[in-house]
Amino acid sequence: MNTAIAIITGDIINSRKETPKVWLPHLKEALNTFGKEPEQWEIYRGDSFQLQVSPEQALEAAIYIKATLKQNKGIDVRMAIGIGEKDYESEKITESNGSAFVHSGDCFEKLKKQTLALKSDSKAFDTTMNIMLQLALLNMNTWLPATARVVKITMEHPESNQNELAAMLENSQSNVSEALIRAGFDEVQKMIQFYKTQIEQL
């Protein structure tokens, strides 16, 4: 039996309004966190990308990529998570195949105003998670660069307290606390935890 994987297909919103040197290093930094190029991730057509992660990691990875890119004013990212199998493995992720790739591609093509959605073999799971994502995105899509940076650093250092995070960000603890409240970070973490418990049952 093939192992379950998750494929994130994405592209950069407003990529042409900024020179790639503004957002491309941030995108590469985020993708490098989760794997190696080109086996686990690839950037193609200039501003599109694919990333392979474990199903458990997928939502967290997508939110981390969003926070990393939203550090740039006016830049955002559209992503579709496909959960399934990999039937054919190539040296390049964009040449591999399987149900995870099909789900990710189908989901990505259907993204309109929503900037993050997922598709798996379970319609019930997809419906629940996509409603939660729609609600979460009402806030996440409005993250300002400073808020996105706090979210990114907090996700990179889950064991650190707010005073330690403030030192890393060269900011005050109260500013970090306010930014995380503005970001709805507690709620985002609860959604990620719910996602992980549901993934285990698929």
Side-chain angles (χ1 to χ4, degrees), residues 9-173:
T9 302
D11 72 359
I12 309 304
I13 297 169
N14 296 331
S15 62
R16 291 184 187 148
K17 291 186 181 175
E18 283 286 3
T19 166
K21 68 181 181 190
V22 169
W23 54 263
L24 190 56
H26 284 147
L27 176 59
K28 287 186 172 179
E29 174 201 359
L31 295 173
N32 267 323
T33 305
F34 299 101
K36 290 182 179 168
E37 182 189 18
E39 302 94 328
Q40 274 107 18
W41 65 266
E42 247 188 300
I43 296 168
Y44 58 98
R45 288 206 312 251
D47 65 352
S48 299
F49 63 90
Q50 267 197 328
L51 167 69
Q52 177 186 322
V53 289
S54 69
E56 295 74 26
Q57 261 190 318
L59 183 57
E60 208 162 354
I63 292 169
Y64 178 78
I65 292 166
K66 188 176 183 74
T68 303
L69 283 159
K70 281 185 76 68
Q71 291 178 106
N72 304 290
K73 193 176 180 190
I75 297 288
D76 204 341
V77 59
R78 196 177 3 247
M79 288 172 287
I81 300 168
I83 298 157
E85 295 183 343
K86 184 199 265 191
D87 303 330
Y88 172 72
E89 183 151 12
S90 169
E91 289 176 4
K92 291 183 167 187
I93 186 74
T94 50
E95 292 172 7
S96 297
N97 212 328
S99 60
F101 294 86
V102 174
H103 288 331
S104 188
D106 286 351
C107 185
F108 188 76
E109 281 172 24
K110 289 177 181 143
L111 285 179
K112 290 187 172 73
K113 289 185 178 174
Q114 193 166 341
T115 56
L116 178 59
L118 59 78
K119 186 177 180 186
S120 70
D121 290 328
S122 166
K123 277 194 175 172
F125 169 73
D126 295 356
T127 301
T128 303
M129 281 311 309
N130 283 322
I131 289 168
M132 290 177 82
L133 285 169
Q134 279 180 309
L135 291 168
L137 287 164
L138 293 172
N139 191 351
M140 292 197 295
N141 285 343
T142 67
W143 287 347
L144 296 171
T147 305
R149 185 161 178 258
V150 174
V151 170
K152 175 182 178 282
I153 296 292
T154 306
M155 291 184 82
E156 287 172 351
H157 302 277
E159 305 304 317
S160 299
N161 63 37
Q162 286 187 1
N163 286 320
E164 290 162 338
L165 294 169
M168 291 174 216
L169 289 155
E170 297 178 348
N171 212 322
S172 69
Q173 182 271 326

